[in-house]
Amino acid sequence: MIVKILLENFMSHARTEMELCPGLNVLVGPNNCGKSALVAALRILAHNENSTYVTRHGQKFCGVTLTTSDGHTIQWSRKNSPKYKINGQDFDRLKSGAPPELHSILRMPIIECESDEFDIHFGEQKKPIFLLDKSHTKQAQFFASSSDASQLLRMQKRHKDKESDAHKRKARLEAESRQLSKELESLGPVVGIAEQFARVTAWRNELALLAQRHQACAAATAALARQRRQAEYYRQQTTIYAPLAPPPLLHPVEPLSNLILAIRAGQRARAYRQGQYACLQALPAPPQMRTTSALGDLCANLHAVQASQAWASAQLRALRQLSRAPQLADTHALATQLQSLKSVKATKRRLTGEVAVYRALVPPPEQHATARLEEKLIQLRQSRRAALMAESRRGVVAKIVPPAEPAAVGEISTFICQLRKAHEQLAQSRANAHAAERQLAQADLAIRAQLRDRRCPTCGAMVDAATFLEHATPRGAGGDHA
């Protein structure tokens, strides 16, 4: 009896180990989880059927190992060809079928009957039960030639024994039923007691409900008494305050409070702007930037020339390895190989033309190291961005008029209006910057979604979105594929 099954790189199983219990074992699970693969593994191990399709994708080895209850270990594996290892002994170079030692241990061979074969150990998922789809002749042939006729007789005897046991069990259960009927008759008066108990329970529930209602009425009475006492207190307060004269009307102080708050905010904004103006005044003028488009085009052209030179060199090396055609002396063989010779001559003319073209190529100019040049380009771009930012800040600061000493409320109000406009411009600039960042993030997500599960057309590897985005920037222009 099989007690353990181990599958390694077999179809959908990377490594699955199952320990079976004595008797019937049932596999339950959703579709495509590997149930049929387990049956296929047992069938291939027992009969060494076609197994070219069972190796897990991306792996070079698959195997099935069985352990029996009497201590035997059977291993079937496939790398280039299937082989067995039974109790430590190797069996390879099998032309077809399984080694005889396997069936002496596993006892699951295919039954051969005259000109036909029967598999009594495995049933396929989408086929009827064993022999149901066979003709009457095949069924009779199997039972007539089966070497397990004694097993059928034992099964018949076992069936008769089970039938006798079932009759005995039926008689015992009928006796128990009669005994239980007598006990039920003796317990008949209990039904009236149950009805009385139900009525008492209903009365108890009604009493509990009345008690809850009584408590609710008591709480409502206490609340009403509190409300009456509070109403009497308010009536006395009204009697006391009735002779009093109304208070004088106060002028509104809200405009004055708002003015004070506006003056304080203007003073804080003025101090902040003065400090910002002092910091910006200390900045030096940005250097004059030169255009880098011509240098970028030159770098792109250099990389293109390098790629063309490498491709031409590879073609030239391949063409130089070709040997010249041998001199033919047999004129009779020339008549039989005329068609192939024409195609060889055409290929030779095409390759000779390509060699002439490649020999006419001028060696590419010597390439200098571009690492320092790329660092200079990065520094120039950073300096350009810093200069543009400083220029924009200088323009904003130039538009700001130095505030005068607060002498009147009207001038403070004008300065407050200017500060509000500046804050609005700053908020609009920040909103534009956030919008640009969101657009950049959306573009990055869109590119990553497009590159998901894509393969590189050059090397066939999976495309890494982060590497692709890095090479897509100006710093990575002209590099290897992503």
Side-chain angles (χ1 to χ4, degrees), residues 36-59:
S36 300
L38 178 62
V39 178
L42 293 174
R43 189 167 185 170
I44 290 175
L45 182 138
H47 307 318
N48 194 20
E49 296 180 349
N50 178 29
S51 58
T52 57
Y53 64 96
V54 301
T55 305
R56 184 177 174 86
H57 179 68
Q59 303 295 329

Side-chain angles (χ1 to χ4, degrees), residues 146-162:
S146 175
S147 60
D148 295 333
S150 59
Q151 297 291 338
L152 295 176
L153 295 176
R154 283 196 295 270
M155 289 173 60
Q156 185 179 6
K157 183 178 181 302
R158 179 61 177 169
H159 177 70
K160 290 181 179 179
D161 295 340
K162 286 185 177 180

Side-chain angles (χ1 to χ4, degrees), residues 16-31:
T16 302
E17 184 175 354
M18 294 186 180
E19 294 186 359
L20 306 182
C21 62
L24 179 65
N25 292 267
V26 180
L27 298 180
V28 180
N31 292 335

Side-chain angles (χ1 to χ4, degrees), residues 340-393:
S340 60
L341 181 60
K342 289 180 180 180
S343 61
V344 171
K345 287 183 177 181
T347 304
K348 180 179 179 182
R349 286 196 298 270
R350 179 174 57 81
L351 296 177
T352 303
E354 292 182 359
V355 170
V357 173
Y358 295 148
R359 287 178 177 175
L361 294 177
V362 180
E366 184 178 358
Q367 301 295 327
H368 298 283
T370 59
R372 297 183 60 187
L373 185 59
E374 290 178 356
E375 293 178 359
K376 290 294 183 182
L377 287 175
I378 294 171
Q379 293 176 2
L380 288 174
R381 291 193 183 98
Q382 293 176 354
S383 302
R384 187 176 182 180
R385 287 195 294 269
L388 292 175
M389 188 179 296
E391 187 66 25
S392 62
R393 290 180 178 176

Side-chain angles (χ1 to χ4, degrees), residues 107-152:
R107 295 188 294 275
M108 298 175 66
I110 295 178
I111 304 301
E112 297 182 358
C113 298
E114 296 181 1
S115 61
D116 205 349
E117 295 180 349
F118 296 90
D119 188 357
I120 65 173
H121 305 287
F122 298 96
E124 297 184 2
Q125 183 178 6
K126 297 182 179 180
K127 286 188 176 182
I129 304 175
F130 176 66
L131 289 181
L132 289 184
D133 59 336
K134 303 293 183 180
S135 63
H136 298 294
T137 305
K138 296 291 184 182
Q139 296 176 4
Q141 179 183 1
F142 172 78
F143 286 106
S145 59
S146 175
S147 60
D148 295 333
S150 59
Q151 297 291 338
L152 295 176

